[in-house]
Amino acid sequence: MRILVTGGAGFIGSNFTRMALKLNPGWKVTVLDKLTYAGRRENLVEVEKDPRFRFFHGDICDSDAVSLAMKDCDAVVNFAAETHVDRSIHDSSSFVRTDIEGVRVLLEAFREGGRRMFLQISTDEVYGSVEHGRSGEADRLDPRSPYAASKAGGELLAMSYFSTYGVPVVVTRASNNYGPFQYPEKLVPLFVTNAMDGEPLPLYGDGLNSRDWLFVDDHCRALLRVLEDSAPGKVYNIGAGQEHSNREVTDLILEIAGASRELVRYIEDRPGHDRRYALDVSLLEEELGWTAEIPFRQGLERTVAWYRDNRGWWETIKSGEFREYYRSMYAGRLEGSVGER
Ligand code: NAD
Ligand code: TYD
């Protein structure tokens, strides 16, 4: 099988590419990635010399680049996306372009080939904020940020190609991932690296918003199961059932990293901040026999150890484009912040 992994130079895509090649000696993987601020060739250095791996630098909105990369591929796993909620609030244009129009371009190229599966990587954020219970795959979609709305548009468009043209689409909706190679704009890597540098940890609002945390390896294993055995037209939630408030996540990071609680700052909240995400994953467990294996503390310990051992990776990022991003997002809010509650 030859798989096209779009967005394979990003966080989850690079972890998936490494795992797919390691566990499947007969597979070949092509990565197509635009190398935006979030994508890095060095994330793929471990597989760079593998003869089963090839890399194309290109945009999923560019039909010529897509046709070239998709040639001879049996399956597509579409990770390519703009992914950060805070950036989508600031400017949603690239989100609509990549997360919806990019999916359309991929689907059009995919239609021509008589291929096996188009796996659209979506998110639990399409359900919106869930105050009680857990979201099931048949629940109403209620995306509340430009990021979540763009991802909902992308997955609905993909499913429409299944209904209309019989394209073998499968959609997965994963909860918040954490682990090695995550760009330090997201909560876990931002707080881990700030803690290591003795910088403030800026918690939004009251810090009691909660997420269902999934170690990236567990996510990638679930995707491999879906690729192997899922029927077209299916939607699967992927989550580990490990709900923690942002305060709890922060406390655990500080403990594991051995940093002071005085670094915690409560700052002005994100607009429209979803209070809680939680997934019912019984469909994936029952149909495909997958369960999450990595407990949150263990996953976080592995993550902290990786950032400790790979300081050069994140210091390079944090001294580039990120510096201006961080200043514009946080400097004003940190001025009016308060410490530990
Ligand atoms: P990321 O931001 O780390 O990586 C995204 C990758 O896509 C980057 O390599 C980037 O260069 C590439 N890309 C962006 N626009 C592109 C374009 N137009 N053409 C080609 N490549 C492009 O993201 P991630 O956290 O690895 O997320 C991967 C996927 O998983 C996304 O679709 C995201 O919505 C989904 N997801 C993420 C999480 C999470 O917690 N990180 C949870 C659920 C679902
Ligand atoms: P994030 O990693 O941006 O993922 P998402 O918004 O897609 O769930 O944020 C996770 C949670 O952490 C979310 O409730 C927002 C919160 N958060 C902070 O409190 N401070 C921060 O600096 C960041 C980036 C996030």
Side-chain angles (χ1 to χ4, degrees), residues 66-87:
V66 165
S67 297
L68 197 65
M70 208 182 283
K71 200 166 170 289
D72 305 327
C73 287
D74 309 298
V76 172
V77 187
N78 180 30
F79 292 99
E82 289 293 334
T83 61
H84 194 35
V85 173
D86 291 319
R87 289 187 195 250

Side-chain angles (χ1 to χ4, degrees), residues 56-132:
F56 285 93
H57 182 197
D59 189 333
I60 60 165
C61 300
D62 173 351
S63 55
D64 292 339
V66 165
S67 297
L68 197 65
M70 208 182 283
K71 200 166 170 289
D72 305 327
C73 287
D74 309 298
V76 172
V77 187
N78 180 30
F79 292 99
E82 289 293 334
T83 61
H84 194 35
V85 173
D86 291 319
R87 289 187 195 250
S88 82
I89 292 167
H90 186 65
D91 178 2
S92 59
S93 54
S94 61
F95 288 76
V96 173
R97 184 176 177 276
T98 292
D99 301 7
I100 304 177
E101 167 66 3
V103 179
R104 187 195 68 76
V105 173
L106 288 170
L107 287 162
E108 280 298 319
F110 187 93
R111 264 176 79 188
E112 290 160 11
R115 304 172 216 273
R116 263 191 59 194
M117 189 184 294
F118 186 97
L119 178 49
Q120 172 63 14
I121 307 301
S122 192
T123 161
D124 62 355
E125 304 196 22
V126 297
Y127 295 115
S129 194
V130 223
E131 302 295 323
H132 307 287

